[in-house]
Amino acid sequence: MNEVIMGLYEIEEQAGKIMERAHSRRQEMIDENKKRMKDAEEELEGELEGRLTILRSQLEEQAQEEITRLAARNQEQVDQMNENYQKNLNQYAQEIVKRITEV
């Protein structure tokens, strides 16, 4: 009878050790999963930051191209206005004089 009780104690002790190892392994797996998730999150954040940097750069480049294009277009219009003014200066002056003298 003592041998049976001692056998049961051993079984209980071994079961306890198995449960401790299982709990320890489970905690290791949880910690490992947390680390993997954190690493994946950091990698994703880095990738997103890289993509955002590229997009910002492209948008800035596009904006600068648009500004350059608009500045050139405006300069062309100013040049055309100056050219038109120079061509028609005498006519404008005559019209001004005519209006002044009509009063």
Side-chain angles (χ1 to χ4, degrees), residues 3-97:
E3 287 180 28
V4 172
I5 293 173
M6 291 301 282
L8 289 174
Y9 280 132
E10 276 185 35
I11 291 172
E12 185 179 355
E13 186 179 328
Q14 288 177 359
K17 288 179 182 178
I18 290 171
M19 290 302 291
E20 284 178 22
R21 284 193 301 252
H23 178 71
S24 176
R25 179 64 183 135
R26 180 176 175 264
Q27 189 61 44
E28 287 174 8
M29 290 173 70
I30 289 171
D31 292 345
E32 191 175 309
N33 278 342
K34 284 181 183 178
K35 184 182 181 314
R36 283 183 186 166
M37 288 176 66
K38 182 180 176 186
D39 291 347
E41 185 178 323
E42 288 174 357
E43 182 179 339
L44 182 60
E45 284 178 7
E47 184 177 329
L48 288 175
E49 187 62 36
R51 288 181 182 184
L52 285 173
T53 300
I54 290 169
L55 288 174
R56 276 189 210 109
S57 174
Q58 289 173 343
L59 286 174
E60 287 174 0
E61 184 178 322
Q62 288 175 353
Q64 190 58 46
E65 288 173 0
E66 183 69 11
I67 289 169
T68 301
R69 187 184 66 77
L70 289 173
R73 184 172 154 207
N74 287 343
Q75 187 59 48
E76 286 175 15
Q77 290 175 344
V78 167
D79 291 345
Q80 286 175 353
M81 289 173 67
N82 283 335
E83 183 179 325
N84 185 32
Y85 176 77
Q86 291 298 324
K87 279 183 182 178
N88 299 311
L89 179 62
N90 286 337
Q91 181 183 350
Y92 294 149
Q94 288 174 0
E95 287 179 23
I96 292 171
V97 169

